[in-house]
Amino acid sequence: MIDYRKAIVPVWTLATGDAQIPPVGGDKPMTAERLSELRGVLATLADRPIATLELHPLPEKLDRDRGIALDAMSPLAQHLSQLISQSARGSATVAASGEGLYRMVVPAKVAAEFGKGLVVPMVPRGSTGSIYGALVGPGGKIAANAKFVPVGGAAAAGTVGGAGATAGAAAAGGTLLTVAAPLVLMAVAVGVSAHADRKRQEAIAHITDLLEQIHADKLEDELSSLNGCRAAIDKATAILLDQGKLGVSLGLDSAVHAIDTAIGKADTRLSKWNSALDKLPEGEPVEIATLTETFPGVDGQGGTFHTHLELAALAVALKRRVNVLQAVEHAQGDPDNLFENFTRELRRDEERLGELESGLAGVLLRLSALELARPNTKRPVFKASEVDSMLRAAHQIRRLGDGVALNGRQTDVAIEIARDPDGSVVVFPALPAEA
């Protein structure tokens, strides 16, 4: 049995190009806190994106269905294998087999370039969503006594860009960095895609439950149209991650049209909701009947309004997967400018998605702050059932603002990769590196 408190954790410092930074870190073992500080320093001082890659033992129980599986011949798996084989020659801490759980951490400053959806807390408070098991404590941090040992100097010199680029060692002001742009690019791309697909699965599960309650045929058609995009997106993802070329026969153009249509509907509904809220008398109580005219089902856990919210979340999740595909395609089309193309393409549509999500969050916060008025009736008293109904409605509306964050705190982003002895990998959804 592995004693995680005394584990030796190899750590690579990965650059996406020739980076110029002053001497930081060193070759001495360090704590998790010291490693976190080092990442912050690198992100601040480096003129190119810097990431760290840690190697942990594979947990005994690992839910591989949560991630995206890639075989040993995939570019990401090959880039990782090259890094391992080169490092293992001159490092006692890196096993030649390379089996283990790799954790790439991208600092918050750099992660902001990948899109707003990655740098805000993505899991409920108190839960990290991590797959480490015994490796992390209740707060989501790695066991404090684990020793993180920098790996450097063993990587053979190689080129920075290009689809088949190998890892290379680069000395930048006395600090040894491993230049591995394709490895960072592919890991981030698959992690972002896995995260977006996880959000898609959650949204579909919620929508299915809601539709069973309201039996709305038109909304079922919207769900079917969006859900039908998955096959084309999955095929395109597999092709691009194998560095193939997309073709019309995949049906991705039709999928993008369906997703953009759904995004357009969400924008229209958001405008309608904001307009209705603007018309409410400021500072005055509002009757439930008035709210349900524009927000049907807002006073309960189901209803059309909640279904519209989940359909918007589904469309955003699918759009983010498509954005990653477009970013990877452009990056591979210009192999000497891998990372810059990738981040530029991700930012292109992310602003619109961020505005949509912020707008939806704003509607929920505005609704949750409303004061409900008693029904307009001439009766002097209410039945007990009517009082209970009003209290339930008030409680449900107040809860709409729970967990809503308009501007989340930026956090480091972690992409976890399980590597088997045969070289195949499973990349798990990108998550905040800290809870």
Side-chain angles (χ1 to χ4, degrees):
M1 183 175 180
I2 299 171
D3 186 353
Y4 290 103
R5 294 172 300 176
K6 299 179 181 179
I8 300 297
V9 179
V11 179
W12 291 264
T13 305
L14 306 180
T16 58
D18 292 329
Q20 297 298 321
I21 59 174
V24 292
D27 57 358
K28 301 293 185 183
M30 54 186 141
T31 63
E33 290 76 11
R34 177 58 180 155
L35 178 60
S36 179
E37 292 174 0
L38 175 61
R39 280 196 297 263
V41 171
L42 290 172
T44 301
L45 300 180
D47 53 6
R48 288 294 187 97
I50 303 289
T52 57
L53 182 67
E54 309 160 15
L55 171 55
H56 300 273
L58 273 175
E60 294 181 2
K61 296 181 179 179
L62 197 59
D63 183 9
R64 296 172 183 270
D65 292 337
R66 293 176 55 249
I68 294 179
L70 301 173
D71 64 33
M73 298 306 295
S74 67
L76 185 146
Q78 289 184 330
H79 291 315
L80 187 58
S81 295
Q82 290 170 357
L83 179 69
I84 295 164
S85 61
Q86 293 163 359
S87 301
R89 296 170 191 165
S91 175
T93 60
V94 181
S97 67
E99 179 184 11
L101 181 66
Y102 291 80
R103 186 176 192 250
M104 183 178 293
V105 180
V106 183
K109 175 186 174 182
V110 180
E113 299 180 8
F114 302 151
K116 182 178 177 181
L118 278 181
V119 295
V120 297
M122 294 172 286
V123 289
R125 185 179 298 276
S127 171
T128 65
S130 178
I131 58 175
Y132 284 121
L135 184 58
V136 292
K141 292 186 177 180
I142 299 170
N145 292 330
K147 293 182 178 180
F148 293 82
V149 180
V151 179
T159 55
V160 175
T166 58
T175 297
L176 196 65
L177 305 174
T178 300
V179 181
L183 175 58
V184 177
L185 165 71
M186 299 303 290
V188 172
V190 185
V192 174
S193 186
H195 169 66
D197 194 57
R198 181 180 176 187
K199 291 296 184 183
R200 177 196 65 81
Q201 294 174 17
E202 293 173 354
I204 286 180
H206 293 155
I207 296 170
T208 301
D209 291 340
L210 292 171
L211 289 177
E212 289 178 354
Q213 302 174 30
I214 62 177
H215 304 290
D217 292 339
K218 290 185 177 180
L219 295 182
E220 287 183 357
D221 290 341
E222 286 188 40
L223 173 60
S224 297
S225 178
L226 286 173
N227 207 20
C229 300
R230 180 188 176 187
I233 293 176
D234 285 348
K235 290 176 184 176
T237 301
I239 289 174
L240 276 181
L241 293 181
D242 284 338
Q243 295 181 339
K245 297 294 183 181
L246 298 182
V248 178
S249 61
L250 284 176
L252 190 60
D253 289 346
S254 299
V256 170
H257 174 73
I259 295 169
D260 286 342
T261 299
I263 294 289
K265 289 182 179 180
D267 281 328
T268 300
R269 288 163 180 162
L270 175 60
S271 178
K272 176 184 175 183
W273 294 336
N274 276 319
S275 178
L277 289 170
D278 290 340
K279 293 176 181 178
L280 295 177
E282 186 175 354
E284 296 183 15
V286 182
E287 288 189 32
I288 287 291
T290 301
L291 283 182
T292 55
E293 288 179 4
T294 306
F295 307 93
V298 69
D299 53 337
Q301 295 182 343
T304 301
F305 173 64
H306 293 280
T307 307
H308 283 162
L309 289 174
E310 293 297 340
L311 284 168
L314 174 57
V316 168
L318 289 170
K319 184 64 174 176
R320 283 206 166 102
R321 285 203 72 185
V322 170
N323 287 350
V324 173
L325 294 178
Q326 293 172 338
V328 174
E329 184 177 24
H330 280 77
Q332 290 179 351
D334 186 1
D336 293 327
N337 193 19
L338 268 171
F339 215 77
E340 287 80 359
N341 273 342
F342 178 70
T343 54
R344 182 173 60 250
E345 289 301 316
L346 276 183
R347 285 197 302 265
R348 180 169 293 177
D349 280 341
E350 188 56 44
E351 291 183 5
R352 182 185 177 192
L353 294 180
E355 290 174 0
L356 175 58
E357 287 186 316
S358 294
L360 294 172
V363 166
L364 293 176
L365 288 175
R366 293 178 70 182
L367 284 170
S368 68
L370 292 175
E371 179 183 353
L372 296 184
R374 57 183 290 172
N376 187 12
T377 177
K378 296 180 180 180
R379 287 184 297 150
V381 295
F382 293 95
K383 297 179 181 178
S385 59
E386 293 175 324
V387 173
D388 290 341
S389 177
M390 285 190 293
L391 289 175
R392 283 194 299 270
H395 178 67
Q396 290 295 337
I397 292 176
R398 184 71 62 183
R399 288 184 59 190
L400 290 174
D402 291 351
V404 173
L406 288 175
N407 294 297
R409 177 179 61 88
Q410 288 189 350
T411 180
D412 294 353
V413 173
I415 297 111
E416 296 169 340
I417 306 169
R419 186 179 189 273
D420 291 321
D422 64 358
S424 61
V425 298
V426 176
V427 185
F428 295 89
L431 291 171
E434 57 186 11

